Structure formats: structure tokens, C-alpha cells
């Protein structure tokens, strides 16, 4: 009984204590601190899709660029389109196929100038090397190089584009390191090498956009950074690039000598692509300009412009051939100063509005078209059909010499004279391209003897093999290229063609020309004069080329000599 009462008392005490405790207010626990979700890392596609940039040199906007990105299986494809405003209208399209490690598996660069398309490609072969193709329409034939090692990770060429720098920024961010090293390749070099480059964080460099960080790219042996790029670390978007001393490539400088000085390059991200600047028409300086087209060697129409002096005429006329490669016709009002003369210029086959397919300045095509141009001029009442003179340099000069031989062979007199630069006696192939490689390309790139020999092997020696095998075209890295220009060069005999000339010819030559040997020009003149042809040879000491400044065909002293020769041989033109 006692034990029972004691147990009930203890139970009652516990119940009372529980009831008392329930009557107190409970202290709430602090709320848990939320864990912020991790910021997702932008994908390559998100970073590069629909990005716009401008490209400027020394403060002048030269081009605008648009980037896009897409996916194909496990690979990323990034594309770029650069529209050039200056120094000449052109379009460059780049396409790079990236591996998961952000390395280029294949890279294609296409440049279209005046309707003519050149292409450069490198493609990774296995893990350690890449094959390379240059199908440059300003050169004689394609160049194919196997096994460039180590395989480049990214492109970096001597024509500015935001694309390689944007890829570098993403590759750097993905590494998680302060400095990364990889290899780049300039596909626009004639004998490109895979070169190491290091991209390093540069915290002391401040950009114009708040929140961006600077990265500097340095190549071994260089004391100062080659370039600086600014990128947002979270979005990984490229905001700008600065290259203090940018150099364009050999062929860009050859087509536009003003680019040879280089300058400070800036690539800047913009929200909207700028419109191309308006084209200001050239004042005709009192000349009348009329359109004149004619049917070319292939039956397609060639477009040209004829500048006429004041008066009724008929006027003596000079036909000015275009420069080498993918080049538009000269402005006939500015090409050469010849008071009282008409000047005719036209676009070559497949260039700008002229019809047909461009064939890498194949000499036979150029020669036949030159004869057809003179034939069309003879139908114009303003032109004196007995005083039509051809003027051409480089391939244009060689085509002019061939045209004189053809008209003599056919008993025609479409041209009654010619001024020719770029001619040489003897076999043009392989002598001419080998001279150009040794005297122009090798010094520009500072090739040593080993590199020079290697380039000759993949270019001139390979071209000889293709000609021996009678190849008309080749297919390399999924690109097709015509070899017609090589065949025409191998078949041409300019000394014999000039020896058959019945009309006055002036051969002009720059003594230090790296693209045509002076001894070859002398040999052509000697062969022609020995055969009794009325050929005059004039060599200009101290000149590296015959070409004049922008818009002009001839350098000052060369133009003066040509003017004097034309007046002496063809007399004074009619006065208005």
C-alpha cells in the first residue's frame, strides 16, 4: 500500500512539472542560413553567341566583326564574319571546330576580295601535328604542308580578328590558373610554324570597363607583351584587345602598301555593328567617264570605264591593266596623267562586276581579254583606233607581251604599242616563282637556308610535280584549286612573243625589284631587239618597284619616262 502511494506521488509530481513547463514560452531556434546556389559557368556558346566588335588601326575603324557559336555533337563550332571597310572592301569568314578541351581541331579562313575567294586551312592530325593548306589567289598555286608540329591549339594570324582572342580568354578562364601556355599558328604566313605563347593575368593593367581583368600574351624571347586583352572574369566575355605594334602580313602589305607601316590595333566590343562609311565618288577632273563593257575570252562580259578628255577626238588611248591577283580596276581618271589621252580600265575575269570565273591571273586568259578590250575600243568614235597602247605591270605586263605575240601571229594590229613591266626572257617557270621566293618571301620572313629549302620543296618543287603529272586541279583538305595559272606560266615564252612585235614596245624595270629579275627583263629586251623588234628598255636605279602610290599605276619617275616615250612615239594628241 505504501509503495503504491509513493509511486502515485512521484507520477503526480512529474505530471505537475510537465504541465508547469508547458506553460513557459519556448525560445525559438535561429533560422538556418541559406546556402547560395553556385553561379553557373557560362558555356562557350553563351559567351560567344551574337558578339559584335570593331577593329581599328591608329584610331581609324577598318572593319566590323560578328561572332556566332553552335554545337555539333561533342564539338563546338565558332564562326566569325569580318567586313572590311578600309583599305579595300573585303569579307573574311573564319570557322573553328573546337574539342572539349577548347583546342582547334580544324580552322578555316576564307577571304573574299572583289568577288575572288582565297582560303587557308589547318586541320589537326592525331594528337601531335596538323596539316596546312594555303590557297591564296594572289600567289601562283596552292601550298600544302604536312605534319606541322606541335599541333597548334588556336589560330592567331596577321589579319586582325576578335575570334582568336575571345577563344584565348575562354581557354584561360577554363584553366583556373594564373598563367597558361599553348601554341598558335598564323595561317597567313607562307611557311607557318606552330609557336608557343603564354597568357598571364596582369592585375596592374586597368581597362576602361569596370570589372574587367587584363591578360597579356607574350611569346618567348619578346621583352614586352605582344597584346593585352580585357575580359569579364564571370561572364568570360572579351571586351577589348590592344596590340601596340600590329603588323599585317606580306600579301596584305603588297596589295595595300599603306598597311606596311602597321600601327596600334584596337579590337572593341560594341552593342551594334557600325554601318560602312559612305563612298565618296572621285572627281573626274574635267574628264568625261563612260561605261564600256566587252565580251571576254570565255564569252562572259567584262566591265570597264573609259575616261575621255575634253574635245571631240578621236583620242589616242592607253589600256591600263589591273594589278596582280584579286584587285579591282584602276580609276581611269587617276591611274596615269596623260593630257589629251583617253584611259580605259576594266575588271579582270571574275573580279567585281566582271563575269566568268577568276583563274589566278592565268596569262592566256589575260592576254586574250586584253586583245578583246582593244577590239571594243576600236568601235568607239572617240578613240583613235591607230593609237591604242597597252600598259601592264607584273602579270599584266606578262599578259601584254603574250598579247603582242598573239596579234602578230594572227596578223592583227589591235595594239600599236605597249608599256610592259614584269617581263623576262627564258622560261618563266620555275625561274620566276623561285626568284620571287628567294628575293621577296625569304627576306620578309627572315628564313634561314633550311626553311627556304623546305618552302621551295612544298611550293615550286611540288608545282613541278603537278605539272609533270598533267594535273589541272588538286583537292587538298577538302578544298579544290585550279592549276591553270601554272600551266600558262610554264607554256609562255615572252622573249619570242616580243621578238614578233611589229609595234613600239617600252620595257620598264625597277633595278631592285624583288618580284621580277632585272637580268630577266634585260634578256627579254635583248632577244626582241636582236630579232629586229622595235623594243626599248628602261631600267630605274634605286627603285624596288614600278608601282605608284594609292590609285596611281606608276611611281613618279617611271610615269614621267612613260609620258615622254608616248609623246615621242605617238605624237601630240589633238587639242580641245
Amino acid at each position: 500500500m505504501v509503495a503504491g502511494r509513493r509511486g502515485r506521488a512521484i507520477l503526480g509530481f512529474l505530471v505537475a512539472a510537465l504541465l508547469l513547463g508547458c506553460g513557459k514560452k519556448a525560445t525559438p531556434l535561429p533560422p538556418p542560413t541559406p546556402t547560395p546556389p553556385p553561379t553557373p559557368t557560362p558555356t562557350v556558346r553563351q559567351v560567344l553567341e551574337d558578339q559584335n566588335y570593331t577593329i581599328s588601326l591608329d584610331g581609324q575603324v577598318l572593319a566590323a566583326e560578328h561572332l556566332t557559336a553552335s554545337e555539333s555533337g561533342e564539338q563546338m563550332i565558332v564562326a566569325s564574319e569580318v567586313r572590311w571597310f578600309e583599305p579595300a572592301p573585303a569579307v573574311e569568314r573564319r570557322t573553328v571546330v573546337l574539342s572539349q578541351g577548347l583546342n582547334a581541331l580544324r580552322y578555316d579562313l576564307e577571304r573574299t576580295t572583289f568577288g575572288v575567294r582565297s582560303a587557308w586551312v589547318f586541320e589537326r592530325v592525331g594528337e601531335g601535328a596538323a596539316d596546312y593548306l594555303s590557297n591564296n589567289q594572289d600567289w601562283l598555286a596552292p601550298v600544302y604542308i604536312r605534319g606541322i608540329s606541335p599541333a597548334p591549339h588556336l589560330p592567331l594570324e596577321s589579319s586582325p580578328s576578335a575570334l582568336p582572342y575571345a577563344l584565348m580568354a575562354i581557354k584561360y578562364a577554363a584553366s583556373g590558373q594564373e598563367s597558361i601556355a599553348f601554341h598558335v599558328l598564323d595561317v597567313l604566313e607562307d611557311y607557318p610554324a606552330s609557336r608557343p605563347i603564354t597568357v598571364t593575368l596582369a592585375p596592374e593593367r586597368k581597362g576602361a570597363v569596370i570589372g574587367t581583368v587584363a591578360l597579356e600574351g607574350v611569346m618567348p624571347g619578346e621583352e614586352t607583351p605582344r597584346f593585352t586583352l580585357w575580359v569579364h572574369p564571370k561572364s568570360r566575355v572579351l571586351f577589348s584587345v590592344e596590340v601596340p605594334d600590329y603588323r599585317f602580313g606580306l600579301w596584305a602589305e603588297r596589295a595595300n602598301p599603306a598597311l606596311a607601316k602597321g600601327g596600334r590595333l584596337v579590337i572593341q566590343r560594341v552593342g551594334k555593328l557600325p554601318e560602312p562609311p559612305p563612298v565618296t565618288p572621285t572627281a573626274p577632273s574635267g574628264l568625261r567617264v563612260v561605261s564600256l563593257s566587252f565580251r571576254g575570252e570565255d564569252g562572259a562580259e567584262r566591265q570597264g570605264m573609259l575616261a575621255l578628255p575634253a574635245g571631240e577626238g578621236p583620242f589616242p588611248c592607253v589600256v591600263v591593266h589591273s594589278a596582280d591577283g584579286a584587285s579591282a580596276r584602276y580609276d581611269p581618271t587617276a591611274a596615269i596623267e596623260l593630257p589629251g589621252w583617253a584611259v580605259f580600265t576594266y575588271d579582270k575575269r571574275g573580279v567585281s562586276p566582271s563575269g566568268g570565273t577568276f583563274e589566278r591571273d592565268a596569262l592566256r586568259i589575260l592576254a586574250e581579254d586584253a586583245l578583246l578590250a582593244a577590239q571594243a575600243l576600236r568601235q568607239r568614235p572617240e578613240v583613235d583606233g591607230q593609237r591604242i597602247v597597252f600598259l601592264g605591270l607584273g602579270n599584266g605586263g606578262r599578259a601584254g607581251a603574250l598579247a603582242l605575240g598573239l596579234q602578230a601571229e594572227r596578223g592583227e594590229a589591235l595594239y600599236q604599242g605597249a608599256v610592259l613591266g614584269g617581263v623576262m626572257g627564258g622560261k618563266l617557270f620555275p625561274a620566276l616563282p623561285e626568284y620571287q621566293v628567294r628575293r621577296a618571301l625569304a627576306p620578309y620572313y627572315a628564313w634561314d637556308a633550311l626553311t627556304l629549302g623546305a618552302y621551295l620543296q612544298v611550293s615550286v618543287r611540288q608545282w613541278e610535280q603537278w605539272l609533270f603529272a598533267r594535273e589541272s586541279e588538286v583537292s587538298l583538305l577538302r578544298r579544290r584549286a585550279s592549276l591553270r595559272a601554272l600551266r600558262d606560266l610554264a607554256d609562255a615564252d615572252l622573249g619570242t612573243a616580243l621578238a614578233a612585235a611589229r609595234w613600239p614596245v617600252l620595257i620598264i624595270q625597277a633595278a631592285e625589284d624583288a618580284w621580277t629579275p632585272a637580268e630577266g627583263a634585260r634578256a627579254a629586251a635583248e632577244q626582241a631587239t636582236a630579232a629586229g623588234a622595235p623594243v626599248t628598255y628602261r631600267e630605274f636605279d634605286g627603285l624596288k618597284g614600278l608601282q605608284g602610290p594609292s590609285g596611281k599605276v606608276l611611281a613618279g619617275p617611271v610615269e614621267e619616262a612613260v609620258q615622254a616615250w608616248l609623246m615621242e612615239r605617238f605624237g601630240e594628241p589633238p587639242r580641245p
Side-chain angles (χ1 to χ4, degrees), residues 72 75 77 95-97 104-110 117-126 130-135 142-144 146 473-482:
S72 178
Q75 297 175 346
I77 301 174
T95 305
V96 58
V97 180
L105 301 176
R106 181 181 171 99
Y107 178 70
D108 291 73
L109 167 58
E110 289 185 353
R117 184 173 63 183
S118 298
W120 296 264
V121 182
F122 78 73
E123 185 172 72
R124 202 174 185 91
V125 181
D131 289 349
Y132 164 82
L133 170 66
S134 168
N135 191 23
V143 173
Y144 181 52
R146 294 179 175 86
E473 67 175 22
V474 291
S475 181
L476 304 163
L477 291 182
R478 288 170 271 169
R479 297 274 183 171
R480 296 172 63 185
S482 170

Side-chain angles (χ1 to χ4, degrees), residues 309-316 339-341 382 384 387 571-576:
E312 296 182 2
F315 306 103
W341 282 64
E382 310 97 327
D384 183 348
R387 289 193 291 175
E572 291 290 333
R575 296 187 179 275

Side-chain angles (χ1 to χ4, degrees), residues 303-466:
Q303 299 289 336
M305 299 293 291
L306 176 64
L308 296 165
E312 296 182 2
F315 306 103
C317 181
V318 61
V319 177
V320 179
H321 199 274
S322 304
D324 287 354
S327 57
R329 64 176 179 250
Y330 287 100
D331 178 351
T333 67
I336 185 170
E337 186 176 345
L338 290 173
W341 282 64
V343 178
F344 180 60
T345 63
Y346 61 95
D347 283 305
K348 294 176 287 189
R349 173 170 138 174
V351 174
S352 292
S354 282
T357 302
F358 182 79
E359 281 280 3
R360 236 188 191 101
D361 280 1
L363 293 183
R364 185 82 182 200
I365 291 174
L366 298 181
E368 294 285 5
D369 279 358
L371 293 174
L372 291 168
Q375 193 175 79
L377 286 167
R378 288 168 65 91
Q379 308 304 312
R380 300 285 305 196
E382 310 97 327
V383 174
D384 183 348
Q386 301 305 310
R387 289 193 291 175
I388 300 178
V389 178
F390 180 89
L391 169 59
L393 307 180
N395 275 336
R398 292 185 277 274
L402 186 59
L404 295 180
L406 290 174
Q407 77 170 13
E409 179 183 314
R410 298 166 184 173
E412 299 173 335
L414 297 173
Y415 286 105
Q416 291 79 46
V419 179
L420 308 175
V423 301
M424 61 177 287
K427 293 189 63 176
L428 291 179
F429 186 85
L432 180 61
E434 185 161 337
Y435 175 86
Q436 294 171 340
V437 170
R438 292 183 182 277
R439 294 291 301 273
L441 274 64
Y444 181 88
Y445 294 112
W447 287 339
D448 57 22
L450 186 63
T451 306
L452 171 61
Y455 182 75
L456 285 171
Q457 191 63 39
V458 297
S459 59
V460 180
R461 303 295 169 255
Q462 177 62 70
W463 300 344
E464 288 178 306
Q465 293 178 28
W466 285 336

Side-chain angles (χ1 to χ4, degrees), residues 54-374:
T54 57
I55 300 171
S56 304
L57 187 71
D58 291 335
Q60 180 185 4
V61 176
L62 299 183
E65 182 173 11
H66 181 69
L67 301 183
T68 58
S70 60
E71 296 176 3
S72 178
E74 296 182 352
Q75 297 175 346
M76 177 64 59
I77 301 174
V78 184
S80 153
E81 181 176 273
V82 179
R83 292 196 169 270
W84 286 87
F85 311 139
E86 298 288 345
V91 177
E92 290 179 349
R93 291 185 173 89
R94 294 165 169 82
T95 305
V96 58
V97 180
L98 296 172
S99 68
Q100 289 184 320
L102 302 178
N103 295 322
L105 301 176
R106 181 181 171 99
Y107 178 70
D108 291 73
L109 167 58
E110 289 185 353
R111 175 186 291 153
T112 303
T113 307
F114 302 114
V116 178
R117 184 173 63 183
S118 298
W120 296 264
V121 182
F122 78 73
E123 185 172 72
R124 202 174 185 91
V125 181
E127 290 298 321
D131 289 349
Y132 164 82
L133 170 66
S134 168
N135 191 23
N136 176 12
Q137 296 294 328
D138 290 334
W139 196 209
L140 290 169
V143 173
Y144 181 52
I145 304 174
R146 294 179 175 86
I148 296 177
S149 179
H153 300 96
L154 292 176
L156 185 63
E157 64 267 350
S158 51
S159 183
S161 164
L163 176 61
Y165 300 105
L167 295 177
M168 287 182 198
I170 296 172
K171 192 173 182 68
Y172 177 88
S175 73
Q177 302 174 9
E178 187 171 315
S179 178
I180 62 169
F182 49 93
H183 281 78
V184 293
L185 186 82
D186 182 355
V187 298
L188 296 177
E189 284 189 11
D190 286 277
Y191 194 75
S194 180
R195 295 185 174 91
I197 192 169
T198 302
V199 174
T200 304
L201 182 67
E204 72 282 358
R205 296 294 301 269
K206 303 299 181 184
V209 179
I210 297 175
T212 61
V213 297
L215 306 176
E216 292 183 337
V218 180
M219 286 189 167
E222 296 181 349
E223 297 181 357
T224 58
R226 174 163 291 209
F227 59 80
T228 304
L229 57 89
W230 282 268
V231 61
H232 194 283
K234 290 185 179 180
S235 68
R236 303 198 287 179
V237 171
L238 176 72
F239 278 87
S240 63
V241 180
E242 179 183 341
V243 187
D245 185 20
Y246 191 85
R247 286 293 307 274
F248 288 83
L250 168 66
W251 298 98
E253 293 180 5
R254 178 165 163 76
N256 301 284
L259 294 178
K261 64 181 179 63
R264 178 176 176 268
L265 180 79
V266 174
I267 300 175
Q268 183 70 50
R269 182 172 179 259
V270 294
K272 182 181 178 181
L273 292 176
E275 295 293 330
V279 178
T280 304
T282 305
S285 303
L287 299 175
R288 291 181 294 139
V289 181
V290 297
S291 298
L292 175 59
S293 62
F294 62 94
R295 293 288 173 184
E297 171 266 353
D298 59 348
E301 196 169 51
R302 309 286 188 263
Q303 299 289 336
M305 299 293 291
L306 176 64
L308 296 165
E312 296 182 2
F315 306 103
C317 181
V318 61
V319 177
V320 179
H321 199 274
S322 304
D324 287 354
S327 57
R329 64 176 179 250
Y330 287 100
D331 178 351
T333 67
I336 185 170
E337 186 176 345
L338 290 173
W341 282 64
V343 178
F344 180 60
T345 63
Y346 61 95
D347 283 305
K348 294 176 287 189
R349 173 170 138 174
V351 174
S352 292
S354 282
T357 302
F358 182 79
E359 281 280 3
R360 236 188 191 101
D361 280 1
L363 293 183
R364 185 82 182 200
I365 291 174
L366 298 181
E368 294 285 5
D369 279 358
L371 293 174
L372 291 168

